Amino acid sequence: MTLLPSKSLLLFTASLLPASLLAAASPITPDDIMRFESLSKPVISDTGKTLAVEVSPDRGDSRGLVKNLSTKKEFSVKGGTKPKVSHDGRYVAFVDKVPLLASEMASAKEKKKLKSGMVLVDTSTGVELRYERVKSFKFNDTGSHIAIWYEAEDKKKDAKAKDKPKTSKKDSKVDDYDKGTTVELVSLSNLKSITFKDVTAFNFDKSGKHFALAINNFAVDKHELRLVSLADNTAKIVHRLKQQQLGSVALSDDGQYLGFTAGDARQAPFGREYRLSLFNIASGKVTPTPTSKEWTLNRYATLRFSDDSQRLFFGRVPQVSQQIELAKVEKEADLYNQDIITGERELRVWHGDDPRIKPHEVKQYKKELKRTYLAVLHVAGNNLVQLADLQIPDMEVEQQTRFVLASSDLPYRKMITWAGFYRDFYLVDLNTGHKIPVLTQQSSDAEPELSPNEKFVAYYQQGNVFLYEVANDRRINITKNLDVSFADEDHDYPSNAPGYGFGPWIADDSGLLIYDKYDIWQLNTLSYEAFNLTAGKGRKAGIQYRLEGLVDDKGYPSVLANNAQVLLQGYSDISKGDGFYQAQVGTAGVTKLIAGDYKLKVLARSEDAKTIVFSKERYDLFPDLYTAQYESPQKATRQTDLDKQKRAFNWGKSELVHWTNGDGKPLDGVLIKPTNYVEGQRYPVLVYFYRFMSDRLHAFPQMKINHRPNFAWFADNGYAIFLPDIRFEVGYPGDSSVQALTSGVQHLIDMGVADPQAVGIQGHSWGGYQTAFAVTKTNIFKAAVAGAPVTNMTSAYSGIRHGSGLARQFQYETGQSRIGESLFKSPQKYIENSPVFYVERIKTPMMIMFGDKDDAVPWEQGIEMYLAMRRAGKDVVLLQYQDEPHHLKKYPNKLDYSIRMMEYFDHYLKGKPAPKWLTEGEAYTEYKKAG
């Protein structure tokens, strides 16, 4: 079926339904939401012949869906999640997840033993092969084989232990890090397999020639490299070591080299030093690579050959040492040994000059333990060059042959606390390690791009796009003469406005595509002139054009041929609808292919074919999957029909509303009308918001139980839902939010939709803050639910984001909270924007929700508001969900909150009897634990 225009598609869908079904739709319940299926993680084969996707209910077991696009055959795979597809599309592999019932019925101890499996599906026949206890699996790039890596066997007493080789007590203590498990290599041409035990690492080459494995068994001193020739599935041991634990392995694509690391197996893995060697596959010769006193390898050194097989990249560290071990009390005198006693202290010292505050340092500790510093081995000359160092530690490796981009945030780690994130950027010469400074104190969100042929670095600063010409060490502002800003025109934060980013490069570094808010510009890197590729039609029509559907060429920058035809997605600021358009590199102008009142999302692209996968949705149209040729998305074929779930229910409509804010500025919002809406009748309204919401006009409602109100459920329960845009003023985020909210609600009242005595408001996080603040300023809301709100900016300013360990100060000075200055410079602004100081003004009942392990907002913020309202005699309820983070994760808690939210609004906005928990509260109770 080809993709129809939206009105035709709607009529076509409706015509499939009998009138009796339309009239007798069931009301939506939480049970319906829990069972409602959604699509996620679609993948398509490189050849464009096979589509696979995960189909998941909100609660329950997922299934895999496989479609052979050539034969039109379709298969459903029980328990299938996270699909991967072979190159030619002949096979699809899914994670075979543990069934929810088995997980729910298991004890905590039993749950640890439950392991997912894998299911391999033949897309020509639908035949399934299931494998148990699989920890990972991988197709090789050519699709000829799949490697299946199994979990360790259950730790059970082995009745035949006496037959095993006897080892000393010391030898039997093998670190789990050093223990290998079984790998099965399956040939997809005949499904014959080879099994290898004690595998600690493996790798395919990209050309489909070889498969390499590192096999380690300390108990019998077996440490060997094995190499499989994929052409005939023959395996052989190519290298053996004595008491040398093998680490990482990598294969060059030219079939010539196998790189590997190895270290003394008698050393504990944490402090084991490794050495890199190259094995010549043709000659069988092993060549150690150069070493130095300054740099060595540890267990985290991963290996990666460049695609041309000329360079081997890996990480090194300045030194390797064993983990510090604290002394223990072993004799009487130790009881009075001050070093031993104080060694058991539990202390963290916070110094004023620490680069990172302690919680952030703690959160980064494991990452820093695994940090390595990039080096490159030039294979032909066995020449090793250290690229990264302690001052410039971070590098992005693509497929360039001369330079690599590097960066460092070290000079700015202290100022992260209040100013946000910055980096210095460098070009590093792959042949010498020489570093060329490119940018100083650049925002971490504005990373530069190195051109594919390494002639230029493109970057954004202060509203303009620049080119750094590498050969001549010259910088050119390439947008200064264009009559448009390349800075975010909607930026309302107390920080420099970011840019809109870059598109692909043009072949041979001859050009680059760059974005303003609406249009796409093509830069000529020879003349440094730019022309408007979309001919200014974006700004004129209010359509934001962006390139879509490009091949994800892993490891390479995106490159377009001269005169290439490209697919654009266009989002209309006016209608909030999407379209697909076509443009040609080098020629100004766009051609509309399809556009309308719906949302389009490109989700996948085949690497070798020109097939794209995209979804199309409206509030009343499920985002099913479509496939089409890259040049002609208007001729799409619909591949799924999960919209049929929606047809069992009456469904509301969404519409765009416009009004004028109190400051005279126009605002947009989304109004979702109740099912069976009657013109002229007034309805209770639920206001849900955050910042910009009008772009959700054509979004299908998320059919999930979580911390948000479920729009379809509320609409079917007689509510109108209002999603207003909020535009903030720096220094006055609370007041600017209230101005937008109240003017928007008044507009709904004036429209005759909203019952002025039945308007509720719900927000979470930043929306929760605005909710709590709004009720201190207006009585227009008759009930409020604030999830995880900041309520006291003076105390939250120096709080900690426990998820990252970062201080919250930067959020207020440069980020979302938009105060723009420190607490010490503008204390009054912090007070004026804090609802806790104005609780005596509140006349609106409020329910506050927090998880007491909130990793973003200190949950004590909820306690402050609760205690202040309680002291002031206000109508307040606090829901404390135990051991929950910023967004509820445990399903019982998500469902409980959703039900209480509905009960709360039903009582205050519809006059239904209050539930007992709302009138009497709930006493603390401890329950007997299940056996």
Side-chain angles (χ1 to χ4, degrees):
M1 187 180 84
T2 55
L3 187 61
L4 303 172
S6 81
K7 285 186 178 179
S8 300
L9 185 57
L10 183 59
L11 292 172
F12 178 79
T13 301
S15 69
L16 298 177
L17 303 177
S20 58
L21 181 59
L22 287 171
S26 303
I28 295 174
T29 67
D31 184 74
D32 296 318
I33 300 169
M34 286 189 278
R35 297 176 186 273
F36 202 97
E37 291 183 325
S38 300
L39 297 169
S40 62
K41 307 176 184 69
V43 292
I44 190 166
S45 64
D46 293 342
T47 57
K49 294 180 179 179
T50 301
L51 173 68
V53 64
E54 178 180 333
V55 185
S56 308
D58 188 44
R59 181 168 173 81
D61 298 326
S62 298
R63 60 186 174 93
L65 178 64
V66 178
K67 291 203 73 171
N68 186 315
L69 303 183
S70 299
T71 65
K72 310 301 181 184
K73 290 181 180 179
E74 180 176 319
F75 308 105
S76 183
V77 181
K78 183 180 179 182
T81 66
K82 301 177 182 177
K84 295 181 181 179
V85 60
S86 64
H87 169 79
D88 60 2
R90 173 68 188 275
Y91 286 94
V92 174
F94 291 92
V95 172
D96 188 7
K97 197 174 179 181
V98 175
L100 178 62
L101 181 60
S103 179
E104 289 289 310
M105 292 180 63
S107 66
K109 187 176 181 180
E110 291 169 337
K111 282 184 181 180
K112 293 180 180 179
K113 296 181 180 180
L114 296 175
K115 302 294 182 182
S116 295
M118 188 201 84
V119 54
L120 186 66
V121 183
D122 185 330
T123 63
S124 62
T125 64
V127 172
E128 298 179 1
L129 293 175
R130 291 186 178 261
Y131 303 80
E132 296 181 351
R133 298 180 61 80
V134 175
K135 66 178 178 179
S136 69
F137 53 89
K138 181 180 180 181
F139 287 108
N140 69 332
D141 282 20
T142 61
S144 64
H145 291 73
I146 186 171
I148 306 168
W149 204 358
Y150 291 94
E151 298 276 3
E153 296 179 4
D154 282 335
K155 294 180 180 179
K156 296 178 180 179
K157 291 184 178 180
D158 190 341
K160 297 182 180 181
K162 60 184 179 181
D163 298 328
K164 292 185 177 181
K166 293 182 179 180
T167 57
S168 68
K169 183 177 179 181
K170 180 180 178 181
D171 287 344
S172 65
K173 292 181 180 179
V174 182
D175 192 288
D176 285 342
Y177 185 87
D178 284 343
K179 294 178 181 177
T181 59
T182 299
V183 166
E184 184 175 357
L185 178 66
V186 182
S187 171
L188 298 177
S189 62
N190 54 20
L191 296 182
K192 292 184 179 180
S193 64
I194 315 172
T195 300
F196 304 90
K197 293 184 178 181
D198 304 318
V199 177
T200 54
F202 66 83
N203 221 324
F204 289 105
D205 62 25
K206 291 184 179 180
S207 57
K209 297 175 183 176
H210 297 112
F211 178 62
L213 307 100
I215 292 175
N216 291 283
N217 187 330
F218 182 79
V220 294
D221 195 20
K222 179 174 29 174
H223 307 282
E224 58 191 36
L225 281 174
R226 294 197 189 182
L227 191 65
V228 180
S229 172
L230 298 180
D232 56 10
N233 293 319
T234 56
K236 61 180 179 180
I237 300 170
V238 295
H239 191 57
R240 283 192 176 98
L241 299 98
K242 284 287 186 182
Q243 295 182 336
Q244 289 286 305
Q245 180 80 10
L246 287 162
S248 297
V249 293
L251 287 159
S252 63
D253 278 353
D254 62 5
Q256 187 172 354
Y257 289 106
L258 166 59
F260 66 93
T261 62
D264 190 342
R266 294 165 295 185
Q267 296 291 321
F270 186 90
R272 180 183 297 142
E273 190 170 357
Y274 285 75
R275 178 115 185 236
L276 172 65
S277 300
L278 277 184
F279 172 76
N280 188 307
I281 294 173
S283 68
K285 181 181 178 182
V286 174
T287 304
T289 60
T291 59
S292 72
K293 294 181 180 179
E294 295 80 16
W295 295 95
T296 186
L297 285 78
N298 64 8
R299 60 175 173 166
Y300 299 116
T302 56
L303 310 179
R304 172 188 163 186
F305 278 95
S306 60
D307 284 0
D308 62 8
S309 303
Q310 298 300 305
R311 292 165 299 283
L312 176 59
F313 294 97
F314 58 98
R316 297 201 293 180
V317 292
Q319 62 180 17
V320 181
S321 59
Q322 292 295 349
Q323 192 171 11
I324 298 171
E325 188 173 354
L326 296 175
K328 297 180 180 179
V329 174
E330 296 181 346
K331 55 184 182 296
E332 180 76 18
D334 293 342
L335 294 171
Y336 308 97
N337 185 310
Q338 294 184 31
D339 291 335
I340 294 177
I341 297 169
T342 58
E344 296 178 355
R345 67 191 179 276
E346 295 178 348
L347 171 70
R348 291 172 183 171
V349 178
W350 297 44
H351 192 282
D353 289 330
D354 285 341
R356 291 176 169 139
I357 62 170
K358 270 297 174 289
H360 191 208
E361 185 182 345
V362 171
K363 286 291 182 180
Q364 293 292 312
Y365 182 71
K366 288 185 178 179
K367 180 180 178 181
E368 291 298 327
L369 277 182
K370 296 179 180 180
R371 180 188 287 279
T372 60
Y373 299 83
L374 188 69
V376 61
L377 177 72
H378 295 276
V379 176
N382 199 30
N383 177 38
L384 197 155
V385 180
Q386 186 64 40
L387 301 174
D389 57 37
L390 296 177
Q391 286 71 46
I392 306 173
D394 301 315
M395 298 201 172
E396 295 291 331
V397 179
E398 292 185 329
Q399 291 297 333
Q400 287 90 351
T401 60
R402 175 68 189 279
F403 293 105
V404 63
L405 271 175
S407 67
S408 174
D409 68 345
L410 294 176
Y412 313 110
R413 285 188 177 175
K414 186 175 180 180
M415 62 184 281
I416 285 173
T417 300
W418 60 86
F421 302 85
Y422 295 91
R423 285 182 171 270
D424 294 335
F425 288 90
Y426 302 81
L427 276 177
V428 181
D429 191 316
L430 290 174
N431 295 322
T432 65
H434 175 66
K435 297 171 178 64
I436 305 169
V438 176
L439 293 171
T440 301
Q441 199 171 336
Q442 177 82 345
S443 171
S444 295
D445 293 331
E447 292 189 6
E449 285 195 11
L450 177 62
S451 64
N453 289 5
E454 307 165 71
K455 297 177 182 177
F456 305 99
V457 176
Y459 62 94
Y460 166 87
Q461 277 186 346
Q462 301 290 333
N464 282 292
V465 175
F466 296 78
L467 274 187
Y468 172 68
E469 197 176 73
V470 177
N472 298 319
D473 189 25
R474 187 165 65 125
R475 300 168 192 271
I476 305 98
N477 183 337
I478 59 176
T479 58
K480 65 179 180 180
N481 295 323
L482 301 179
D483 58 350
V484 64
S485 173
F486 287 81
D488 185 344
E489 297 178 23
D490 297 306
H491 189 71
D492 56 5
Y493 298 86
S495 59
N496 293 326
Y500 289 100
F502 306 122
W505 291 87
I506 312 300
D508 300 320
D509 283 4
S510 62
L512 171 67
L513 301 185
I514 56 179
Y515 300 127
D516 69 22
K517 180 176 181 179
Y518 295 104
D519 287 301
I520 305 173
W521 297 74
Q522 182 174 336
L523 162 72
N524 185 312
T525 56
L526 294 177
S527 65
Y528 300 118
E529 295 179 348
F531 74 95
N532 197 313
L533 182 67
T534 47
K537 292 184 178 181
R539 188 165 296 274
K540 184 176 180 180
I543 297 175
Q544 298 177 13
Y545 290 117
R546 297 294 183 264
L547 267 75
E548 281 289 357
L550 298 176
V551 173
D552 182 13
D553 210 355
K554 304 173 185 66
Y556 292 89
S558 294
V559 179
L560 296 174
N562 285 298
N563 303 318
Q565 285 192 335
V566 291
L567 179 68
L568 310 181
Q569 181 166 340
Y571 166 74
S572 171
D573 262 358
I574 299 169
S575 71
K576 315 302 178 184
D578 284 338
F580 285 137
Y581 301 80
Q582 195 172 73
Q584 185 171 17
V585 174
T587 303
V590 294
T591 302
K592 182 172 74 173
L593 302 177
I594 180 173
D597 292 333
Y598 38 70
K599 184 180 288 290
L600 300 170
K601 295 179 184 176
V602 178
L603 302 169
R605 160 79 188 261
S606 57
E607 188 167 320
D608 296 338
K610 291 186 176 182
T611 308
I612 60 170
V613 181
F614 68 91
S615 64
K616 176 184 177 182
E617 63 183 294
R618 287 190 309 269
Y619 179 81
D620 57 348
L621 180 67
F622 182 88
D624 277 303
L625 300 184
Y626 297 80
T627 58
Q629 287 300 292
Y630 176 74
E631 298 92 347
S632 52
Q634 73 275 21
K635 298 179 181 178
T637 301
R638 185 171 178 165
Q639 301 294 353
T640 63
D641 186 17
L642 270 72
D643 187 69
K644 62 186 178 184
Q645 301 173 99
K646 187 204 81 227
R647 298 170 202 156
F649 311 104
N650 282 338
W651 212 259
K653 300 282 186 181
S654 66
E655 64 182 57
L656 189 62
V657 292
H658 312 279
W659 71 97
T660 302
N661 200 0
D663 58 6
K665 295 179 181 177
L667 285 175
D668 295 335
V670 178
L671 172 62
I672 299 168
K673 290 182 176 177
T675 55
N676 303 314
Y677 172 76
V678 178
E679 191 75 31
Q681 182 175 326
R682 292 187 179 273
Y683 292 88
V685 174
L686 175 61
V687 181
Y688 176 78
F689 64 108
Y690 196 86
R691 188 193 178 206
F692 297 152
M693 305 295 287
S694 60
D695 61 346
R696 304 188 187 191
L697 172 65
H698 302 302
F700 187 79
Q702 191 179 50
M703 293 300 286
K704 294 183 179 299
I705 297 289
N706 54 28
H707 61 278
R708 304 180 183 93
N710 182 281
F711 298 161
W713 184 25
F714 270 86
D716 206 36
N717 195 27
Y719 287 87
I721 299 102
F722 181 43
L723 315 176
D725 284 347
I726 311 291
R727 292 188 179 271
F728 295 96
E729 181 181 352
V730 172
Y732 306 95
D735 283 336
S736 51
S737 173
V738 172
Q739 196 175 69
L741 290 167
T742 54
S743 61
V745 169
Q746 187 59 53
H747 179 66
L748 295 192
I749 295 172
D750 295 343
M751 289 174 61
V753 173
D755 178 349
Q757 300 304 314
V759 180
I761 184 171
Q762 196 272 352
H764 188 86
S765 192
W766 180 236
Y769 156 72
Q770 295 173 75
T771 297
F773 185 87
V775 296
T776 70
K777 291 283 189 174
T778 177
N779 300 326
I780 201 169
F781 302 108
K782 305 309 175 186
V785 176
V790 164
T791 61
N792 183 352
M793 288 193 175
T794 68
S795 58
Y797 172 78
S798 289
I800 301 295
R801 293 182 64 93
H802 294 293
S804 62
L806 290 167
R808 295 178 53 83
Q809 292 175 350
F810 74 91
Q811 292 182 245
Y812 297 88
E813 296 193 35
T814 65
Q816 186 180 62
S817 297
R818 296 174 172 86
I819 300 300
E821 297 179 281
S822 71
L823 174 63
F824 324 111
K825 284 189 176 181
S826 296
Q828 195 58 37
K829 282 186 180 178
Y830 282 79
I831 293 171
E832 289 173 358
N833 284 285
S834 297
V836 75
F837 292 105
Y838 305 103
V839 294
E840 290 190 342
R841 301 176 182 174
I842 297 175
K843 295 183 179 179
T844 305
M846 184 188 297
M847 182 165 74
I848 305 165
M849 188 282 288
F850 255 105
D852 61 15
K853 293 294 186 293
D854 194 305
D855 50 356
V857 178
W859 90 281
E860 290 80 5
Q861 289 288 308
I863 296 174
E864 285 194 49
M865 192 68 179
Y866 164 79
L867 288 176
M869 291 184 70
R870 174 185 165 105
R871 174 67 181 84
K874 304 299 179 179
D875 188 339
V876 64
V877 173
L878 172 64
L879 304 181
Q880 173 196 347
Y881 287 100
Q882 298 176 64
D883 299 316
E884 285 280 29
H886 191 55
H887 298 120
L888 299 177
K889 298 297 183 185
K890 301 173 185 176
Y891 208 91
N893 292 338
K894 291 192 289 186
L895 180 59
D896 181 83
Y897 180 44
S898 294
I899 292 171
R900 289 179 194 265
M901 195 189 310
M902 180 66 81
E903 291 175 339
Y904 192 80
F905 285 124
D906 275 356
H907 172 63
Y908 285 107
L909 304 186
K910 299 174 75 173
K912 288 189 176 183
K916 188 176 180 180
W917 64 268
L918 189 54
T919 56
E920 301 179 15
E922 287 184 0
Y924 173 75
T925 305
E926 293 186 0
Y927 297 92
K928 179 182 178 181
K929 293 183 178 179

